[in-house]
Amino acid sequence: FERIQFWDVQAATLVSILQGHAQLDTTLSFDPTGTWLLSDSWDGTPRLWQPSPAREWMRFFSGLNQLRFSKNGRYAGVIYPEAGAGQAQLLEFIPSEVYHTFVGSLLDSEYSFSWADVSPDGRMLALVSKEVSIRELPSGRELASLPTPPALKYPRWLKFHPNGKELIVSGFEPGLEIWPLGRDASAPGRIRLGPPRHVSLPFVPCEISLARDGRTMAASAPDSAEARIADLYTGTAREL
């Protein structure tokens, strides 16, 4: 009773088995296309599935809910985050599909991606693995690669600057680097990176937040309970 079996009725064959609930499954609801399935269970984790292939896409945490697809498939029902709190959340269902899988080199297959960011104009994707890779969207073609910057030891995370012309990269050493992005005149279809400018911080930043003007940045390191406000134009930082 903790597994959901998905059958092809006409062929009388088992298509897939959906596993994940820890207790008895209580209700099931298909969307109008038959592509998506909502399930509920006594374990308090209603889930969204794609039965073929057997894949869990999302789970919620709600001991009390009424998850049922509407007739037009637009809504997925109501959940109650906290029983007795007098709150209900109506879930709108907007299906989407993965349109590109980025496995294009030996490096991609040997190392996992740890961070990603999409450029403000939506035309580029920056990925962190053993090195930094900038890809064209939606094709996935590599536009530039950035070997591990010596000052950072190893790339950890990155973020496009709001102007879309710079890439902020952090590693496992204190501080961060800002790399200008420009077209490479010697190699059409490629992007030229650098030279970078360094922003000094007394710690390895774990979280950052940029102001809308792209000049002021807040950086923090929860492990050491430190935080700084940095001016990205001058490279100076002050303690909060």
Side-chain angles (χ1 to χ4, degrees), residues 124-212:
M124 293 184 293
L125 173 70
L127 297 167
V128 172
S129 182
K130 185 180 180 181
E131 61 183 30
V132 173
S133 176
I134 299 179
R135 310 289 180 92
E136 180 184 59
L137 292 178
S139 70
R141 181 175 63 89
E142 187 172 74
L143 299 174
S145 63
L146 175 65
T148 303
L152 301 181
K153 191 175 182 178
Y154 197 92
R156 185 175 186 179
W157 58 255
L158 49 73
K159 187 175 185 62
F160 279 101
H161 190 277
N163 63 18
K165 299 178 181 180
E166 295 175 309
L167 189 66
I168 304 170
V169 183
S170 171
F172 287 86
E173 293 292 332
L176 51 84
E177 290 187 343
I178 303 176
W179 289 78
L181 307 176
R183 292 295 174 182
D184 192 339
S186 62
R190 297 280 295 178
I191 285 179
R192 175 179 50 81
L193 291 169
R197 64 181 188 273
H198 187 78
V199 177
S200 297
L201 294 169
F203 52 80
V204 176
C206 295
E207 298 288 343
I208 71 164
S209 180
L210 286 168
R212 291 182 179 179

Side-chain angles (χ1 to χ4, degrees), residues 34-192:
T35 305
W36 301 93
L37 175 71
L38 285 169
S39 67
D40 194 10
S41 167
W42 284 351
D43 64 11
T45 61
R47 308 182 186 208
L48 176 67
W49 308 82
Q50 197 169 24
S52 181
R55 181 175 182 181
E56 178 185 331
W57 281 86
M58 187 178 295
R59 72 178 62 179
F60 310 92
F61 296 91
S62 171
L64 182 64
N65 62 81
Q66 293 180 354
L67 288 181
R68 304 287 188 280
F69 276 111
S70 60
K71 290 184 178 181
N72 61 5
R74 180 177 178 181
Y75 297 103
V78 176
I79 63 173
Y80 304 91
E82 296 183 30
Q87 295 182 349
Q89 295 180 352
L90 176 65
L91 303 181
E92 185 176 9
F93 181 67
I94 305 176
S96 63
E97 297 181 358
V98 176
Y99 63 87
H100 196 95
T101 300
F102 295 98
V103 180
S105 68
L106 180 61
L107 184 67
D108 291 347
S109 61
E110 289 182 343
Y111 297 91
S112 61
F113 294 118
S114 60
W115 201 273
D117 192 37
V118 176
S119 63
D121 62 4
R123 300 174 64 181
M124 293 184 293
L125 173 70
L127 297 167
V128 172
S129 182
K130 185 180 180 181
E131 61 183 30
V132 173
S133 176
I134 299 179
R135 310 289 180 92
E136 180 184 59
L137 292 178
S139 70
R141 181 175 63 89
E142 187 172 74
L143 299 174
S145 63
L146 175 65
T148 303
L152 301 181
K153 191 175 182 178
Y154 197 92
R156 185 175 186 179
W157 58 255
L158 49 73
K159 187 175 185 62
F160 279 101
H161 190 277
N163 63 18
K165 299 178 181 180
E166 295 175 309
L167 189 66
I168 304 170
V169 183
S170 171
F172 287 86
E173 293 292 332
L176 51 84
E177 290 187 343
I178 303 176
W179 289 78
L181 307 176
R183 292 295 174 182
D184 192 339
S186 62
R190 297 280 295 178
I191 285 179
R192 175 179 50 81

